[in-house]
Amino acid sequence: MTKIEEIKTVLRQQNADAAWITTPLNIFYFTGYRSEPHERLFALLIRANAEPVLFCPRMEIEEVKTSPFDGKIIGYSDTENPFEMCPQIFSTMLIESEHLTVKRQRELSQAFNVKNYKDIDQSIKELRNIKSQEEIANIKKAAELADKCIEIGVAYLKEGVEEREVVNHIENEIKKYGVNEMSFDTMVLFGDHAASPHGTPGNRKLQQNEYVLFDLGVIYNHYCSDMTRTIKYGNPSEEAQEIYHTVLNAETSAIKAIKHGVTIKDIDKIARDIISKAGYGDYFPHRLGHGLGLEEHEYQDISSVNNNSLEAGMVITIEPGIYVPQVAGVRIEDDILVTEDGYEVLTRYEK
């Protein structure tokens, strides 16, 4: 069953006439065509009893034709109203309530005489949650390239180098391996500066005997990686090394428990309990991880409040951390493929 047919199944279950999808990454997921249209309308209309329709600026029509999408294309100029090019009436429509603006919803109501709206966000999240073999292959390659980024960054470390210099060096050098885009802003933080979990790299200079935190990822064929390594430079303090080994124990223990059918909150608990018993519970302020795919943060949430179960085909991150002001910040993160009988670690740079 194709992904669009999956949505048609949802339409039947919801007694809806059509689905209106507007998130560019979700449109790519269903059509194979990616665009960033800015203020222009870019939308996929999936109808219960007819072929899908892709609305796009006229200047993009030829590119759409070269994509896997085989439905109807409605291209419009900047002076045209695209809704007038597809006159239809839908009683009930499924929308991405997390993305659709009030203005666009008003336009839908007027153009298609929609009476009822229902959400489709969760259905799409659940479809994207389980990766195909092609998606997994892309994420694996993205993870391999993230490993290379860490290798490049570690080799560039020297006393007196600034955080921002290391960031720039990584992002410039990885382009030689075909990477055009990072998954998110690369993070390189030195010593106690890493005690801010989402710190911003600046002009802090590397000193002897401290840790260096790298958090980065790349995009390969539209799919993301996201990994963190905390690297020893010289001989950090005894407390800093204790923090590191506590985080490493928490991460490896949580990963070992991963397999199809395990409750997600139980994975979080394994790591959190280890950190709490070591006396650092108050310094682990975030969830254990998240889903990974077309975006660096996807469904599902790997946290203490998620009662769902892991499923084979999910790709998640495991990233415990301890952040003690004026001492050190340590986070270790890997990308993990959930399998029927266990897991596969996709990011492999040494820990």
Side-chain angles (χ1 to χ4, degrees):
M1 183 181 294
T2 67
K3 295 167 183 174
I4 286 179
E5 286 170 343
E6 294 268 14
I7 293 299
K8 289 190 174 185
T9 298
V10 174
L11 290 175
R12 289 191 290 271
Q13 293 169 345
Q14 296 287 327
N15 243 351
D17 306 304
W20 182 257
I21 297 170
T22 51
T23 304
L25 278 176
N26 282 337
I27 294 174
F28 170 77
Y29 182 77
F30 290 110
T31 67
Y33 177 69
R34 185 167 181 176
S35 174
E36 293 297 337
H38 305 292
E39 76 282 0
R40 296 181 175 95
L41 176 72
F42 181 51
L44 176 64
L45 176 66
I46 300 178
R47 301 176 288 184
N49 300 309
E51 66 178 341
V53 180
L54 184 64
F55 293 81
C56 68
R58 181 171 292 171
M59 65 186 85
E60 298 184 20
I61 287 179
E62 294 306 313
E63 286 190 53
V64 177
K65 288 178 180 177
T66 65
S67 76
F69 180 67
D70 60 359
K72 182 178 180 179
I73 304 168
I74 292 183
Y76 63 93
S77 71
D78 288 345
T79 57
E80 292 177 306
N81 181 347
F83 293 107
E84 293 177 353
M85 301 169 146
C86 186
Q88 280 201 254
I89 293 176
F90 301 116
S91 176
T92 301
M93 178 175 278
L94 305 186
I95 59 170
E96 294 175 280
S97 62
E98 295 176 7
H99 184 261
L100 190 69
T101 65
V102 173
K103 178 179 181 291
R104 289 290 192 213
Q105 186 172 352
R106 287 172 180 159
E107 291 173 342
L108 284 177
S109 298
Q110 184 175 357
F112 298 137
N113 199 29
V114 181
K115 302 300 181 186
N116 301 301
Y117 290 98
K118 297 180 181 179
D119 297 349
I120 197 173
D121 306 81
Q122 189 60 30
S123 296
I124 294 175
K125 287 176 183 177
E126 288 173 3
L127 277 177
R128 283 177 53 177
N129 186 42
I130 306 301
K131 272 59 180 181
S132 67
Q133 289 304 309
E134 181 181 0
E135 289 178 295
I136 291 168
N138 286 329
I139 297 171
K140 283 184 175 182
K141 183 62 178 179
E144 179 184 317
L145 289 164
D147 284 333
K148 176 58 70 173
C149 286
I150 301 289
E151 180 184 317
I152 291 167
V154 171
Y156 195 68
L157 295 179
K158 54 185 177 288
E159 192 170 356
V161 71
E162 295 182 357
E163 294 167 335
R164 192 67 233 174
E165 287 183 80
V166 181
V167 170
N168 292 340
H169 180 72
I170 291 169
E171 294 185 349
N172 288 332
E173 288 297 307
I174 198 61
K175 290 176 182 176
K176 297 176 182 178
Y177 297 86
V179 173
N180 297 316
E181 188 177 359
M182 308 302 286
S183 303
F184 51 91
D185 291 342
T186 300
M187 188 185 302
V188 177
L189 303 173
F190 299 156
D192 58 351
H193 194 198
S196 175
H198 278 177
T200 301
N203 59 4
R204 165 73 151 81
K205 290 181 169 60
L206 181 59
Q207 304 166 20
Q208 280 289 341
N209 305 324
E210 61 184 4
Y211 280 109
V212 178
L213 188 150
F214 296 87
D215 189 351
L216 52 79
V218 308
I219 297 176
Y220 178 80
N221 277 354
H222 307 284
Y223 284 84
C224 298
S225 53
D226 179 6
M227 72 179 294
T228 308
R229 288 293 184 270
T230 305
I231 304 297
K232 185 161 62 172
Y233 187 77
N235 188 33
S237 70
E238 186 175 329
E239 183 178 3
Q241 293 193 51
E242 178 189 352
I243 289 170
Y244 180 88
H245 289 290
T246 301
V247 173
L248 180 61
N249 184 22
E251 200 230 11
T252 55
S253 298
I255 290 172
K256 286 176 182 176
I258 290 173
K259 69 175 180 179
H260 178 88
V262 172
T263 304
I264 289 173
K265 69 178 183 181
D266 292 344
I267 301 296
D268 183 284
K269 187 176 188 302
I270 290 169
R272 205 164 296 278
D273 283 353
I274 289 171
I275 290 174
S276 293
K277 286 175 183 175
Y280 294 105
D282 290 341
Y283 300 100
F284 179 17
H286 54 75
R287 62 188 174 180
L288 182 63
H290 51 80
L292 184 70
L294 287 170
E295 297 168 278
E296 74 273 16
H297 284 193
E298 286 193 352
Y299 182 78
Q300 289 196 34
D301 179 50
I302 310 302
S303 76
S304 60
V305 296
N306 192 339
N307 292 307
N308 295 334
S309 297
L310 294 172
E311 298 180 63
M314 288 172 57
V315 178
I316 63 174
T317 69
I318 297 295
E319 49 180 302
I322 296 174
Y323 315 91
V324 181
Q326 282 80 56
V327 179
V330 173
R331 183 166 63 254
I332 304 173
E333 175 185 17
D334 283 295
D335 301 341
I336 313 292
L337 170 65
V338 181
T339 64
E340 287 288 349
D341 56 357
Y343 60 89
E344 181 181 350
V345 181
L346 308 183
T347 38
R348 298 178 179 176
Y349 192 87
E350 64 185 359
K351 294 179 276 193

